Amino acid sequence: MFSGRNWVAHSLYVFLNICSFEVSGGLVQSCGHIIPESPVLALGSNFTALCILNESCLDFGNIYASQIIWKIKNRVVPKEQYHEINRTVSSVTFNDTSSLATPLTCNILADGQIEQNIYGITVTVGLPPEKPKNLSCIVHQLSKITYPMTCTWNPGRHTFLDTHFRLKYRWLQETFPDCIPKDVNNSCTIRDVQFFVNTKVWVEAANALGKAESDPLILDPIEIVKLLPPHNLSVNSGILPTVLKLSWENQISDTAMKLKFNIRYRIMGDTNWMQVPPEDTASTRTSFSVQGLRPYTEYVFSIRCMKEDGVGYWSDWSEEKTGITTEDKPSKGPPIWRIIDVSCSPPSWTVHLMWKALKPFEANGVILQYEVTVRAKSSLSSPPEKYSVNTTDLTLKIPNGTYEVTVVARNRAGASPPSVLLIPASNSKAPVKNVRTLPKDGKLWVGWTAPNSYVLKYVIEWCLLSNSSDCIIEWQNEPGNVQGTYLKGDIKPFKCYLITVYPLYADGQGSGQSVEAYLQQDRPSKGPTVQTKKVGKAEAVLTWNHLTVDEQNGFIRSYIIFYKTIDGNETAVTVDPSKTEYTLSSLASDTLYTVRMMAYTDEGGRSGPDFTFTTQKFGKGEIEAIVVPVCLAFLLIVLLGVLFCFNKRDLIKKHIWPIVPDPSKSNIAQWSPQVPAKHNFSSKDQMYPEGSFTDVSVVEIEADDKKSFSEQDLKPFDLLKKEKSTSEGHSSGIGGSSCMSSPRQSVSDSDEGETTQNTSSTVQYSTVVLNGYRDQTPVQVFSRSESTQPLLDSEERSEDHTGGGDSTIQRQQYFKQNGVQDENSTNRPCFETMKQITSANEGDIVGFAQLQISGQSSQLLGLGLEKNTQEAAVSDALQASTEGQNVVPEIVEGNPPSVDEMPKSYLPQTVRQGGYMPQ
């Protein structure tokens, strides 16, 4: 077992011994070689290579043929293709050389499994040359004495090898050097040849795999010559306007070769060439006159030549030369048409005559002027009107009638034939039928059905429809025997044309039949803009304008309306293109909708802008159906309320507008306590009906004797105290105080010397409280009112005039007598004061009824009043009750008056259960 260093040394030694050994002379010799050496192989053939090892390497390196490995471009060849011939020779076989690559190497696996290259070769794979084909030769004339011959051929397939071609030629008894192509492999030029001698020509191709020759070509070089074209060509105008004369020079002598020619020509600006008949130029010549040309037209000419017998090749065309024919009179009159404007006055016409400028080949020169003749057919005796103009239109104002118009174009050579137009008084002849159009081959074809009568010619009139420009009329004439033609004007795509066909007769004209047409359609430039005309609860009326003719770009076949809610699906509705309004139905109320509209032609559609609208919350009549009943109900309620208020006006007046007593109408000024009015206390006519008042109790007790009564008996007096405390806050401060009021100065407390004016200005109103308590005899009691309302001056003055001074004194005495209390008695308790009631004359008031006041209503009472006076007092009492007056009983000092002397009662006091109710 070798160590690592020893193993490397041994391997290096073996490698040096295998690869080479020293020979005499110091050269290194390989241990083997491959046969064949650098072969050239035919593509697809079989190939076998041999690797032969040297004997010296076998003995010295201990290597054998079984250790050989074949490789193609460093790729190992499968061992199935190996064959060991002996211990020094190994072969490899390839059945198809198309997969063989270079280099092919022979390698050996030495000791230590080290692979070493022994030898390598380069393998070339290709094809043998094919037989050249299509050999042809031509002799080019370079000058009058130089005629080289150039031959060309088809070299065949690519051989992948270096293939050499040679052009060989010889006479029958003489051989010439080969012509070797330069930089090409399919042509070669022989510098000099001899005419009138037969020459054999062929091509040879050769490479490493073989050779090939073309078929020989035997020819006379004069038969394959291509001459130079004639030169110095000139063109001159002839005597006639339709003839031009050509002249040229040939570049070969007539003695050397007879020639023939080709002459071509065209109109300047045209691409189509015309040619002079070959038989007219089939002989040797140097000039020729071309006839049948158009007058006053510029032509371009060119010429070529070849051998007269037709053997050989045509020369190239000569340089081009131009020439212009002379003028001739116009060949035809200008096409004429008219536009008639009927003025407001029917007897007059405005006729616009129009004619087209003649084409150059029709004008035959420069048109100097147009001569127009207008002749009235109805008046043959009148001379025709003649006009000379330089333009192509003329406007005339003529009377209504039938006219014949002729137009003649004139140039330097003469005048054209006249163009005649008949203008009838009316288009009474039969028109054409079924006018139709069809785009075809980039042109617009117009067809029609001819009328039954003979038509002299047709006039096809058309104009471009546009919103931005006027309709400029163009027209063309067509023979009467045709029923269709292409429009000859500049017809543009995506534009709308109005086409009208008129039949012209020898004695009149038929009315025109029109149709709109497009050469090519497209989608509309924009979509319709939709708006709402009316919006309801479940429907909306949409409106829009038609697209302009410039925006349509084709025939509008339909409109489609798309509408949807914010979160709903889009709905489409198709609308007839003639409509400008549509109603959307079955919409949701109070909903926002988005709507857009598309216009469609045959080529597609385009959408307009979005538009939004909101449906109404209520439909038509729904608001009225709600408002009208509500208003009627409100009016009915108001009416019923008015009726109720009218029927209950007294009750309403009582609570809302209480009647305030008018002091000016009071009788207190005439009342005298000395002569009180008598009252009828019979049961039949009671002043105070039973049940009008609640019981008013008068209790006679001592101040110190409260304990002898029960709490129930003393309760009314407690209520009286409460009312007293309440009344103090509302007291007006006029008159004496009640039994439980604080002492205040009244009118009667003043000195007797006060004037009558003072007395009448401040008046105390009192009422009589009548009732008994626990079988006690009722007594008359006066209760002082807290009212401070003064009497009016009118009432006082009237009393002064009627009563005199005595009555004034009596009133003052009355107030003094009945209204003044002793100062010592002012502070006495109410219970002691009430004891004086029992001392009244009980027999005088036996006839009085018990006074009662109900809890719900108050009745005004008064002594000495008649029945009607009592009713008036009731309303005064209602007024007093709303003002919150507090009235408390007051004891009158002295002897109580008799029944006949009882004073009248004003403002009767209303008393509620258990006490007094302030008024």
Side-chain angles (χ1 to χ4, degrees):
M1 191 81 184
F2 296 108
S3 63
R5 179 176 298 178
N6 294 332
W7 184 85
V8 172
H10 178 73
S11 299
L12 182 60
Y13 172 77
V14 172
F15 172 75
L16 294 176
N17 283 282
I18 292 175
C19 292
S20 61
F21 56 93
E22 292 293 333
V23 294
S24 60
L27 297 176
V28 178
Q29 183 178 356
S30 174
C31 287
H33 62 279
I34 298 176
I35 300 176
E37 182 80 19
S38 300
V40 177
L41 306 176
L43 189 64
S45 62
N46 295 331
F47 172 67
T48 300
L50 301 176
C51 182
I52 303 174
L53 300 177
N54 295 334
E55 291 291 341
S56 60
C57 291
L58 295 178
D59 297 338
F60 186 78
N62 194 23
I63 58 175
Y64 302 95
S66 60
Q67 297 174 278
I68 293 176
I69 298 175
W70 293 91
K71 286 187 177 182
I72 299 177
K73 205 174 182 179
N74 296 326
R75 180 174 56 87
V76 178
V77 178
K79 291 186 178 295
E80 291 80 6
Q81 297 179 227
Y82 298 178
H83 179 65
E84 185 180 353
I85 298 176
N86 53 42
R87 69 189 189 100
T88 60
V89 179
S90 174
S91 68
V92 61
T93 303
F94 299 93
N95 296 324
D96 188 359
T97 57
S98 58
S99 61
L100 189 60
T102 189
L104 175 64
T105 59
C106 174
N107 305 276
I108 192 167
L109 192 62
D111 293 342
Q113 302 299 316
I114 298 177
E115 183 178 308
Q116 300 295 332
N117 178 259
I118 299 298
Y119 202 78
I121 61 173
T122 299
V123 179
T124 304
V125 179
L127 295 172
E130 283 187 328
K131 177 182 178 180
K133 300 177 181 179
N134 299 329
L135 175 63
S136 63
C137 297
I138 183 172
V139 176
H140 293 279
Q141 182 186 11
L142 299 181
S143 65
K144 287 186 176 182
I145 59 174
T146 305
Y147 295 89
M149 183 178 69
T150 300
C151 297
T152 59
W153 60 89
N154 182 4
R157 66 189 178 187
H158 184 51
T159 62
F160 305 102
L161 301 174
D162 291 335
T163 303
H164 302 283
F165 293 87
R166 292 174 177 268
L167 176 64
K168 297 177 176 290
Y169 70 101
R170 67 177 58 185
W171 292 346
L172 293 178
Q173 297 177 353
E174 187 175 354
T175 302
F176 298 96
D178 296 339
C179 180
I180 300 175
K182 294 181 179 179
D183 301 328
V184 294
N185 61 355
N186 63 342
S187 67
C188 192
T189 300
I190 300 174
R191 294 297 178 185
D192 192 13
V193 294
Q194 296 293 327
F195 291 151
F196 308 111
V197 177
N198 289 331
T199 303
K200 181 180 178 181
V201 181
W202 73 96
V203 177
E204 179 185 84
N207 63 13
L209 296 179
K211 293 182 179 180
E213 291 183 352
S214 67
D215 294 333
L217 181 65
I218 300 175
L219 51 84
D220 185 354
I222 195 64
E223 297 175 353
I224 57 173
V225 66
K226 180 178 180 180
L227 301 174
L228 291 173
H231 65 291
N232 296 332
L233 177 65
S234 63
V235 181
N236 299 312
S237 58
I239 300 175
L240 299 176
T242 59
V243 177
L244 288 176
K245 185 178 180 181
L246 306 182
S247 300
W248 65 88
E249 294 180 2
N250 297 321
Q251 299 196 56
I252 190 171
S253 63
D254 296 339
T255 58
M257 187 179 298
K258 300 296 182 180
L259 303 177
K260 66 178 181 179
F261 302 91
N262 275 346
I263 299 175
R264 66 178 183 178
Y265 62 94
R266 61 181 174 87
I267 298 174
M268 177 66 73
D270 196 355
T271 57
N272 297 323
W273 288 93
M274 295 171 284
Q275 190 169 344
V276 175
E279 58 271 15
D280 295 343
T281 57
S283 60
T284 300
R285 65 183 64 232
T286 59
S287 65
F288 185 82
S289 294
V290 181
Q291 303 177 6
L293 303 178
R294 296 176 183 176
Y296 200 69
T297 304
E298 184 177 11
Y299 286 90
V300 179
F301 294 91
S302 182
I303 189 172
R304 67 179 181 176
C305 64
M306 72 173 298
K307 193 168 177 290
E308 185 180 20
D309 57 5
V311 178
Y313 298 93
W314 283 101
S315 69
D316 295 330
W317 289 101
S318 67
E319 59 179 351
E320 297 178 353
K321 294 293 183 176
T322 62
I324 301 176
T325 56
T326 59
E327 288 191 48
D328 195 5
K329 62 182 180 179
S331 60
K332 61 180 293 187
I336 184 173
W337 189 234
R338 86 291 176 276
I339 298 176
I340 300 176
D341 293 337
V342 180
S343 62
C344 297
S345 56
S348 178
W349 277 355
T350 299
V351 179
H352 300 279
L353 297 177
M354 305 175 295
W355 56 89
K356 292 185 177 182
L358 294 174
K359 296 180 180 180
F361 65 90
E362 296 172 340
N364 294 336
V366 178
I367 300 300
L368 302 177
Q369 65 179 8
Y370 296 96
E371 298 174 356
V372 182
T373 303
V374 180
R375 179 181 290 107
K377 300 286 288 185
S378 59
S379 179
L380 298 178
S381 60
S382 60
E385 297 182 5
K386 296 183 178 181
Y387 306 89
S388 295
V389 295
N390 296 325
T391 60
T392 57
D393 62 308
L394 178 64
T395 300
L396 301 174
K397 189 172 184 180
I398 57 178
N400 189 356
T402 302
Y403 294 89
E404 182 183 75
V405 180
T406 60
V407 178
V408 173
R410 184 176 294 276
N411 62 10
R412 294 184 184 92
S416 69
S419 296
V420 181
L421 175 65
L422 182 65
I423 303 177
S426 62
N427 298 333
S428 58
K429 298 297 182 178
V432 298
K433 300 178 182 179
N434 191 24
V435 179
R436 57 201 179 274
T437 61
L438 178 66
K440 186 177 181 181
D441 299 331
K443 298 180 180 180
L444 189 58
W445 181 84
V446 182
W448 59 87
T449 301
N452 297 327
S453 303
Y454 172 75
V455 178
L456 186 63
K457 63 180 178 179
Y458 295 98
V459 175
I460 295 92
E461 178 184 285
W462 73 91
C463 69
L464 174 63
L465 297 179
S466 176
N467 298 101
S468 58
S469 61
D470 296 333
C471 186
I472 301 176
I473 294 177
E474 298 184 48
W475 81 96
Q476 66 187 54
N477 294 332
E478 295 296 334
N481 59 349
V482 301
Q483 297 186 23
T485 185
Y486 287 99
L487 297 184
K488 299 176 183 178
D490 183 16
I491 307 300
K492 300 177 181 179
F494 317 136
K495 299 296 182 181
C496 183
Y497 289 88
L498 179 63
I499 304 171
T500 306
V501 179
Y502 295 90
L504 301 184
Y505 301 90
D507 57 348
Q509 172 183 311
S511 60
Q513 299 297 312
S514 301
V515 66
E516 292 183 359
Y518 284 88
L519 175 62
Q520 183 180 349
Q521 297 188 53
D522 194 8
R523 295 191 308 160
S525 301
K526 59 179 291 187
T529 301
V530 65
Q531 295 179 339
T532 54
K533 181 179 180 181
K534 182 181 179 182
V535 179
K537 177 182 179 181
E539 69 281 336
V541 179
L542 304 180
T543 183
W544 61 92
N545 294 325
H546 286 303
L547 296 178
T548 63
V549 67
D550 294 328
E551 297 170 343
Q552 292 179 8
N553 296 336
F555 294 110
I556 301 298
R557 302 302 184 185
S558 65
Y559 291 118
I560 296 184
I561 300 174
F562 299 91
Y563 65 97
K564 65 176 182 177
T565 58
I566 295 178
D567 54 352
N569 295 327
E570 193 171 55
T571 304
V573 179
T574 303
V575 183
D576 188 86
S578 62
K579 304 293 183 182
T580 58
E581 186 175 296
Y582 186 79
T583 302
L584 299 178
S585 57
S586 302
L587 303 179
S589 62
D590 195 21
T591 303
L592 178 65
Y593 281 88
T594 300
V595 62
R596 61 186 177 91
M597 193 171 185
M598 291 189 70
Y600 283 87
T601 64
D602 294 336
E603 298 298 325
R606 194 178 295 275
S607 178
D610 290 348
F611 180 79
T612 58
F613 66 90
T614 303
T615 53
Q616 296 182 0
K617 189 173 184 179
F618 300 99
K620 183 179 180 181
E622 291 186 1
I623 297 179
E624 291 82 352
I626 297 173
V627 172
V628 171
V630 170
C631 293
L632 293 177
F634 178 75
L635 292 176
L636 181 60
I637 293 173
V638 171
L639 181 60
L640 293 176
V642 171
L643 294 177
F644 176 80
C645 294
F646 182 78
N647 293 332
K648 300 295 183 178
R649 61 185 180 277
D650 293 336
L651 181 60
I652 295 174
K653 183 177 180 182
K654 170 184 174 183
H655 291 282
I656 300 178
W657 300 290
I659 300 175
V660 179
D662 189 355
S664 65
K665 299 179 182 179
S666 175
N667 294 326
I668 191 64
Q670 301 176 1
W671 171 55
S672 176
Q674 303 297 331
V675 188
K678 294 183 179 181
H679 298 274
N680 185 6
F681 294 101
S682 63
S683 60
K684 186 176 180 180
D685 189 13
Q686 292 183 0
M687 179 180 295
Y688 308 106
E690 184 178 358
S692 300
F693 291 86
T694 52
D695 294 339
V696 178
S697 299
V698 180
V699 183
E700 182 179 42
I701 59 174
E702 294 294 332
D704 300 332
D705 199 15
K706 294 182 181 180
K707 297 181 180 180
S708 61
F709 296 93
S710 64
E711 295 180 359
Q712 182 177 2
D713 294 336
L714 294 176
K715 188 180 296 183
F717 298 101
D718 295 335
L719 295 175
L720 186 61
K721 292 180 180 180
K722 294 179 180 180
E723 291 186 3
K724 170 64 177 116
S725 63
T726 305
S727 64
E728 289 178 354
H730 302 304
S731 176
S732 62
I734 301 176
S737 304
S738 63
C739 62
M740 286 183 287
S741 64
S742 60
R744 68 181 71 179
Q745 186 178 1
S746 66
V747 175
S748 59
D749 293 337
S750 62
D751 296 335
E752 292 181 358
E754 290 180 349
T755 63
T756 305
Q757 177 67 26
N758 295 332
T759 304
S760 62
S761 300
T762 305
V763 182
Q764 289 184 335
Y765 298 89
S766 301
T767 184
V768 178
V769 182
L770 300 176
N771 200 358
Y773 178 75
R774 293 186 179 182
D775 299 331
Q776 293 181 6
T777 302
V779 65
Q780 178 180 359
V781 179
F782 286 97
S783 177
R784 181 166 50 227
S785 173
E786 296 294 332
S787 174
T788 61
Q789 185 167 355
L791 296 177
L792 298 180
D793 293 341
S794 61
E795 185 177 6
E796 294 175 358
R797 291 169 185 170
S798 63
E799 291 172 353
D800 294 339
H801 290 295
T802 56
D806 295 337
S807 61
T808 302
I809 298 172
Q810 292 177 359
R811 286 196 301 272
Q812 292 176 352
Q813 292 175 355
Y814 169 76
F815 288 115
K816 178 76 174 178
Q817 178 183 354
N818 298 295
V820 178
Q821 294 183 8
D822 190 76
E823 293 180 359
N824 297 326
S825 65
T826 302
N827 297 327
R828 285 182 295 174
C830 182
F831 301 108
E832 296 179 1
T833 308
M834 289 183 180
K835 293 171 66 177
Q836 299 178 16
I837 300 176
T838 58
S839 63
N841 188 356
E842 296 178 358
D844 294 337
I845 59 177
V846 170
F848 284 97
Q850 182 179 4
L851 299 178
Q852 296 179 351
I853 300 176
S854 64
Q856 299 177 355
S857 64
S858 301
Q859 179 70 32
L860 180 63
L861 300 179
L863 294 178
L865 297 177
E866 299 296 333
K867 185 176 182 179
N868 56 354
T869 306
Q870 297 175 7
E871 294 176 356
V874 171
S875 62
D876 295 338
L878 291 174
Q879 174 64 25
S881 65
T882 60
E883 294 175 356
Q885 299 290 339
N886 295 328
V887 181
V888 296
E890 185 175 313
I891 307 302
V892 181
E893 295 181 357
N895 295 329
S898 63
V899 175
D900 294 337
E901 297 176 352
M902 290 288 288
K904 295 181 180 180
S905 176
Y906 299 90
L907 293 175
Q909 176 66 46
T910 303
V911 183
R912 65 184 181 183
Q913 182 71 29
Y916 299 99
M917 177 180 292
Q919 297 298 311

